[in-house]
Amino acid sequence: MASEDMLMVNISNQESTDLHISEKQHNQSPSRQKWTAKKTATGKRKASFENQDYGSAKQRKLNTKTNTKNKDQEASEFPSKPKASPKKGLHNGHDGPFIKTSSLFRYNPEIPDVFSPVVTQVKEKVFTTYSFQELDLHPHLVATLNKVLNISSMTSVQKQTIPVLTSGKDAVVRSQTGSGKTLAYGIPLIQSLQAVQPKIQRSDGPLAVVIVPTRELAQQSFQIFQKLLKPFTWIVPGVLMGGEKRKAEKARLRKGINVLISTPGRLVDHIKNTLSIAFSAVRWLVLDEADRTLDLGFEKDLTVILNALNAGGSSRQTVLLSATLTEGLSRLTSISMKDPVYIQVLEPSLSSQSSPSQQADSYAMPDRLQQYMVVVPSKLRLVCLAAFILARCKFERDQKLIVFISSCEAVEFLDTVLSTVLCGKSSTANKQQLSINFLRLHGNMEQEERTEVFQEFSQSKTGVLLCTDVAARGLDLPQVTWIVQFNPPSSAAEYVHRVGRTARIGARGNGLLFLTPSETAYMDVLANHNISLSEMKMEDILSTLMQDERFRGRGNWDKKKSAGAREQHMRERATVLQTEFENYVHGSEESVQAAKKALQSFVRAYTAYPSALKHIFHIRHLHLGHAAKSFGLRDAPQGLSSTANKSTKKTAKGKDNKRPAIKFTARERMASLIRSEYTSGISGESKSKKKRTKKKANAEDELTEG
Ligand SMILES: Nc1ncnc2c1ncn2[C@@H]1O[C@H](COP(=O)(O)OP(=O)(O)OP(=O)(O)O)[C@@H](O)[C@H]1O
């Protein structure tokens, strides 16, 4: 048997342990119920049951050990002896029902010591002392910057870029997130268009085309151009983006748009279907977030756009911008730039010390950004996220969080379950209500709602935005205090963009990356780009629950008690919270289905990590039973597809019934999780997208927009 097969068998056996335990808990037989009652009455018997339980698990561990060749890998999959285990059968301390305790702190892989590689984090100086007055700009433009945008001095990237672009050169611009790149191209673009003689008319059509990867970024950029163009009423900005009515956009195109901001997919749509779109006058092409817009997902669209522009025949200036652009980006060549000036904002000390290739690999991070990571075993991920949100939103003031999640379905699920349980709206939670403004943003939402959410979160001072990578790039959401990456991103560059939604333009901000014990090598991936994170301890996050009496468990907490007793009590509270989640999820068939769907999509997103990261994020490292718990499911889902059902039955009845049925069902279930997600179809997906059978489809859909 291949080593991978062996590993899956081990996982299956491990899962069998968990399923076995939880099934006992859920399907409480009369004898089990009686036993539980006795158990709570006599602590001694309870203790003996726990020992017995652990002993049998330990035995199983020994048995499986003899089956495996890869002991190192096994060590990370199997538990070490737990120091303390939660009590079974907790009461939530209030008037709620008696709750079943899940084995939250047992059978988890050990949390490894994380050694953050020593790196010299690259910094950029954001501000300069140079004012916009010093540039030869139209006075109305300077006045708008000063009075409307409240901006007087240039940032470093603006200081370097604006003169290059006003001199008519092409440029490739890289500077850290939130450093003012939009104005770095916006100001020279408007300066040049307002000077065109005879004056630009609407009927001239687009003179500038700005391509951005997402709809929200298109809206945001459009709003900035609207402001900047106020004094120059004859130049008309316009936005085209997927999700809007094509007919209305066609009408606007017919009337004439001079500065056209668009997502790639929608622009291609119009190039193919709208006769009134003519590019003969285009003088500017801007690719914002250029490494994304030049990325695989957009390649075809971009070729169509470039062909259409080239057919227009006019000569144009091209600008590429991103916080993570690399000169070596091979697709740059397809853009046909004329001797572009490469602009990179680096501290002088670093520019002189390091080689160009070192500089290219190092991503500059905002100076006042504090970056943390926490290692959390799968089973504890949901409670840990919940505790972190509680800590910020209940016990601190003015906190605004963005939580990045790998799939639309998981965003939907977490939005419902967190807002219901944490805000005290669930039937089993006690009545005390808490107001946290949870919002969600992902690619499967109707555009109208997406726009509303984006505006609402932009304007609010507090709240939690749960989102996919649609919000990772370019969005300038004010006063965000924390970026939580609940699922690690697919590259260091995406890490940089996500975390860059905070600590913008010199402000403070924090980032927290969740990793499971098997994913800690991701720290090396970040270190390769000179990014270093400090470790936050899971226990410190969970300890917030000690302040929240809604999750008190049995009895009061006495501060004088020992540290061990405190930890035990904290575990009880985490278990009470997990049980609240599980009770909510299992309270209706609808929520069970939502949780399963979210789990499916999570597993599927896990398969979409690039091959270079497969040694860290491989599906064989996932423990389905544990992952299910992080979606509030008591067991790993069964019967997700007919295939899995049939094979389980066959194994149970068939000739080969000596083989434990569970051995193959975990693998089959994992496979069926992925398969059924492919065939389930994603609402709002276009036909052409459905045709794409690539594993990456879902993840890419979140990054590439029509
Ligand atoms: N010269 C300036 N002085 C003060 N604030 C500025 C200046 N230039 C831009 N800003 C503000 O800084 C914020 C970030 O700017 P912008 O969104 O252009 O950053 P960015 O570099 O494009 O970031 P990202 O890489 O994340 O897209 C915006 O709120 C913008 O209004």
Side-chain angles (χ1 to χ4, degrees), residues 127 132 149-155 157-158 175-184 217 220 224 288-289 322-323 472-476 497 500-501 504-505:
F127 289 106
F132 288 103
L149 297 177
N150 270 331
I151 286 173
S152 52
S153 57
M154 284 181 264
T155 62
V157 68
Q158 290 161 359
S175 75
Q176 71 184 23
T177 50
S179 59
K181 290 187 286 296
T182 314
L183 291 181
L217 186 53
Q220 182 182 290
I224 292 166
D288 199 1
E289 307 299 338
S322 173
R473 291 237 179 192
L475 298 191
D476 188 49
H497 288 282
R501 296 317 97 212
R504 296 175 72 72
I505 205 84

Side-chain angles (χ1 to χ4, degrees), residues 324-557:
T324 51
L325 263 183
T326 46
E327 272 182 51
L329 205 74
S330 59
R331 287 180 198 87
L332 283 185
T333 47
S334 64
I335 302 293
S336 66
M337 300 175 86
K338 299 171 295 248
D339 294 329
V341 178
Y342 287 89
I343 297 170
Q344 188 166 356
V345 180
L346 279 183
E347 279 191 351
S349 59
L350 188 102
S351 319
S352 56
Q353 279 165 21
S354 50
S355 70
S357 72
Q358 279 172 322
Q359 289 174 22
D361 284 344
S362 308
Y363 296 135
M365 305 304 286
D367 212 11
R368 297 170 83 192
L369 171 69
Q370 300 280 342
Q371 300 173 82
Y372 301 96
M373 54 81 68
V374 59
V375 185
V376 184
S378 283
K379 275 201 278 186
L380 284 148
R381 279 168 52 77
L382 183 55
V383 277
C384 201
L385 175 65
F388 184 81
I389 291 172
L390 272 182
R392 303 284 83 82
C393 299
K394 184 172 179 182
F395 301 109
E396 290 176 11
R397 292 182 59 188
D398 296 337
Q399 295 290 323
K400 195 165 159 183
L401 280 64
I402 301 181
V403 182
F404 285 98
I405 296 156
S406 59
S407 73
C408 308
E409 291 81 359
V411 169
E412 284 290 329
F413 168 75
L414 286 170
D415 176 44
T416 309
V417 83
L418 288 170
S419 57
T420 307
V421 172
L422 290 191
C423 299
K425 294 179 209 151
S426 61
S427 56
T428 54
N430 65 81
K431 309 292 176 286
Q432 202 185 331
Q433 300 235 335
L434 170 69
S435 166
I436 303 175
N437 188 19
F438 281 99
L439 293 167
R440 74 210 204 293
L441 190 69
H442 60 73
N444 276 357
M445 286 163 63
E446 292 295 324
Q447 188 50 45
E448 208 176 316
E449 200 186 356
R450 268 174 78 163
T451 306
E452 269 170 31
V453 166
F454 176 55
Q455 302 295 0
E456 186 180 342
F457 191 70
S458 284
Q459 285 154 19
S460 72
K461 286 213 166 79
T462 60
V464 182
L465 178 70
L466 304 159
C467 59
T468 58
D469 273 330
V470 288
R473 291 237 179 192
L475 298 191
D476 188 49
L477 299 156
Q479 295 160 345
V480 175
T481 50
W482 278 92
I483 302 297
V484 179
Q485 307 201 35
F486 191 50
N487 301 113
S490 59
S491 68
E494 290 317 301
Y495 171 89
V496 169
H497 288 282
R498 282 175 171 193
V499 86
R501 296 317 97 212
T502 189
R504 296 175 72 72
I505 205 84
R508 279 183 200 286
N510 308 279
L512 175 64
L513 173 70
F514 274 65
L515 296 174
T516 63
S518 66
E519 293 168 351
T520 51
Y522 194 68
M523 295 286 281
D524 299 328
V525 174
L526 297 178
N528 287 341
H529 297 274
N530 281 12
I531 300 168
S532 129
L533 284 65
S534 314
E535 187 176 5
M536 196 182 266
K537 290 285 176 199
M538 179 181 74
E539 288 73 18
D540 293 339
I541 294 176
L542 292 177
S543 69
T544 297
L545 299 175
M546 300 299 277
Q547 297 176 58
D548 198 324
E549 290 309 302
R550 296 177 303 165
F551 309 113
R552 197 173 68 210
R554 303 172 311 165
N556 293 322
W557 162 240

Side-chain angles (χ1 to χ4, degrees), residues 17-169:
T17 307
D18 262 17
L19 291 173
H20 181 61
I21 291 164
S22 49
E23 268 159 26
K24 268 209 261 178
Q25 286 170 345
H26 305 148
N27 313 324
Q28 287 197 345
S29 62
S31 63
R32 169 73 179 158
Q33 283 167 3
K34 202 170 146 198
W35 191 92
T36 308
K38 273 186 194 168
K39 182 192 75 173
T40 46
T42 60
K44 212 174 167 186
R45 280 192 75 172
K46 177 191 70 205
S48 84
F49 173 82
E50 283 184 356
N51 286 340
Q52 182 194 331
D53 204 10
Y54 176 67
S56 58
K58 197 171 170 186
Q59 191 56 52
R60 269 187 290 267
K61 180 180 163 188
L62 286 174
N63 291 345
T64 52
K65 254 191 169 179
T66 55
N67 280 341
T68 185
K69 287 170 191 164
N70 188 344
K71 288 184 182 170
D72 286 343
Q73 249 166 335
E74 186 199 54
S76 69
E77 292 293 333
F78 285 91
S80 58
K81 183 175 176 175
K83 283 183 199 135
S85 53
K87 303 285 184 287
K88 287 189 171 271
L90 291 174
H91 193 278
N92 69 0
H94 305 281
D95 52 0
F98 184 81
I99 54 176
K100 291 164 254 173
T101 309
S102 35
S103 56
L104 206 53
F105 289 88
R106 295 200 231 175
Y107 314 115
N108 289 317
E110 223 167 311
I111 295 181
D113 289 330
V114 181
F115 300 104
S116 187
V118 181
V119 298
T120 315
Q121 209 145 317
V122 182
K123 302 281 179 202
E124 290 176 9
K125 195 164 161 271
V126 177
F127 289 106
T128 69
T129 50
Y130 295 89
S131 86
F132 288 103
Q133 254 105 8
E134 291 171 48
L135 299 170
D136 195 17
L137 299 175
H138 192 292
H140 287 353
L141 186 51
V142 178
T144 306
L145 291 169
N146 294 342
K147 292 184 188 143
V148 180
L149 297 177
N150 270 331
I151 286 173
S152 52
S153 57
M154 284 181 264
T155 62
S156 302
V157 68
Q158 290 161 359
K159 161 89 176 38
Q160 291 190 42
T161 310
I162 295 172
V164 169
L165 294 181
T166 44
S167 74
K169 291 192 176 121

Side-chain angles (χ1 to χ4, degrees), residues 15 18-19 379 623-630 633-636:
E15 185 179 75
D18 262 17
L19 291 173
K379 275 201 278 186
H623 184 308
L624 194 52
H626 290 193
K629 252 197 166 4
S630 72
L633 290 162
R634 290 179 182 138
D635 302 306

